[in-house]
Amino acid sequence: MKRLLAICCYCLGLMLSLSATAAEKPLPSELEPLLQELTESSLSKAIPVLDALEAEGGEALQPLFSYMLEGDLYYIKSSRQVIAVSEEAGQETFIDMLSGREIEPLSSRDIKKIRVNNRLRGHLRDAIARLQLGSESAAVRESAVRSLLSDLDENTLASIREARLNESAGNVKDVMDMALALYRLESAAEASDRIEAIAQLEGSLEGDVRNALNRIADNDPSPQVQQAAQKALVGIEQKVEFYAFIDQLFFGLSLGSVLLLAAIGLAITFGVMGVINMAHGEMIMLGAYTTYVVQLLMPNHIEYSLWVAIPAAFVVSGMAGVLLERLVIRHLHGRPLETLLATFGVSLVLQQLVRTVFSPLNRQVASPEWMSGAWEINPVLSLTLNRLYILAFALLVFFALMLLLKKSSLGLNVRAVSQNRDMAKSMGIPTGRVDALTFGLGSGIAGIAGVALSQLTNVGPNLGQSYIIDSFMVVVFGGVGNLWGTLVAAFSLGIANKFLEPVTGAVLASILVLVFIILFIQKRPKGLFPQKGRAAE
């Protein structure tokens, strides 16, 4: 067994050493004079050398251009040998660009950086994009064409036309056709050709296309071309406005999903027990700090930490809720003002406890890679993945809770106690136990809300205070104890807030929403979906 293990380790080391020595593909030996010329050229004379290298080496030059763009391309002073210096985990690797092999480390006195300026960086980006047109990945080819749209010339157009002949992906073909039409629009001498190019570009949401159409609409000598460009711009602006509406709607739904997670636990406890729990925000805070602690315990497994943090936050906040109900709230049953004051005092105690343990400073919780970035639907609309996942997660929690309340014995008892506590007690239902479990369930869901909030904002002692008022607004607006009302109210208030913010500002938008709820409650005191049962009468 030991011998087998030794053989496996030897094979693994051999594979790693082979992968390290074959760092880059070798360049054709014919490029050596041009590489040496690159080391001798000044900044003003480097572009012709780069063009010659691109023409001679083709796609093989992409690593060299990338190193040069990043400022990692050097040459050995004594031999003019071009090398790349890459750094990983604090260790420098020296690669001979001609052979592609790793060489012995050199001191800074033996090498000199091949300098670049902004003009060369732009030229290198275009050259890399042209080389990427031959990539096997359709996404890379599409991205390469898009990066060339702002700087189209004859060489670029020749590369795009050549790649267009062999292109099989439809979306890449469309982008290539757009690039060809854009160049035709700006270079064609005949007005009819420019009008045809505008017809091809009509409906495109690319920023470069819109800029070009604006220039044509303002400066083209032909009135017919100006009119065609203005018409195309009107259609594009209508699309942009529509997608801006979708973007705002998405942010409203995102805010609504956060409000739903924050308020749904409060709706349960408020509806069943009639308790005004001012410490509900601190249950959210405990869930957020649980996520932070889990990441501290799993520093090398951030990708999986959220899957551990969700049940951990539910348990931590749920246990805190059960303790709060057993130690404080059950002694104040039927006295809502006393429970309000008591839970407010508990919230202050929990905030100070967190300040003592974690300090008053905000803590940053890292987002897993699969939640980072955005889903780009088109050039003017992209949906951030963290908000998209939180929206889906909020709906999943909501329907799981609905299923629990409808299909489980706990849910049956909760519904019985919420509709008529005295009758449920007389039927043998342990109302005290139901109260404790209900309060723990609501607090646990608040802890899950804290996990979600940790991916959107910093974690701090006052995190829960930012959402407690909004949570009560959602519960009152939707109808006390009604989960469907909480869902509708959360998304309604979230969307209303996000649509008002661009017009009135964030603070005034919140004030207007609050005024609306006050007026609404005057006309409909029981909310959108009033609770049914004798206790609600």
Side-chain angles (χ1 to χ4, degrees), residues 296-311:
L296 289 182
L297 298 175
M298 303 174 62
N300 299 321
H301 302 283
I302 299 298
E303 298 299 310
Y304 311 104
S305 62
L306 275 188
W307 302 110
V308 178
I310 290 171

Side-chain angles (χ1 to χ4, degrees), residues 474 477-479 482-490 528-529:
V474 168
F477 180 49
N482 191 298
L483 294 185
W484 283 110
T486 304
L487 177 75
V488 173
L528 287 172
F529 300 93

Side-chain angles (χ1 to χ4, degrees), residues 282 285-297 316 350-365 459-462:
E282 277 57 50
M285 177 196 66
L286 289 179
Y289 271 102
T290 303
T291 310
Y292 170 70
V293 171
V294 167
Q295 287 201 351
L296 289 182
L297 298 175
V316 170
L350 289 175
Q351 288 180 44
Q352 191 57 46
L353 178 64
V354 166
R355 288 190 181 95
T356 304
V357 175
F358 296 100
S359 87
L361 301 177
N362 287 344
R363 301 295 179 177
Q364 180 71 38
V365 175
V459 176
N462 298 321

Side-chain angles (χ1 to χ4, degrees), residues 4-74:
L4 179 61
L5 183 60
I7 293 172
C8 292
C9 292
Y10 173 77
C11 293
L12 180 61
L14 183 62
M15 290 171 62
L16 291 173
S17 64
L18 288 174
S19 64
T21 55
E24 295 290 353
K25 291 183 179 179
L27 297 177
S29 58
E30 296 82 8
L31 296 179
E32 187 173 2
L34 286 172
L35 290 176
Q36 188 167 358
E37 187 178 349
L38 181 64
T39 65
E40 298 170 351
S41 301
S42 61
L43 288 172
S44 59
K45 296 180 180 179
I47 288 180
V49 181
L50 293 175
D51 289 338
L53 282 168
E54 182 184 351
E56 290 288 335
E59 191 175 353
L61 265 297
Q62 185 177 330
L64 184 141
F65 287 171
S66 297
Y67 281 123
M68 189 173 176
L69 180 63
E70 297 297 326
D72 295 331
L73 198 64
Y74 294 76

Side-chain angles (χ1 to χ4, degrees), residues 20-23 92-96 99-104:
T21 55
E92 288 185 334
T93 304
F94 294 76
I95 303 169
D96 176 19
S99 66
R101 293 182 179 178
E102 186 177 340
I103 62 175
E104 292 295 326

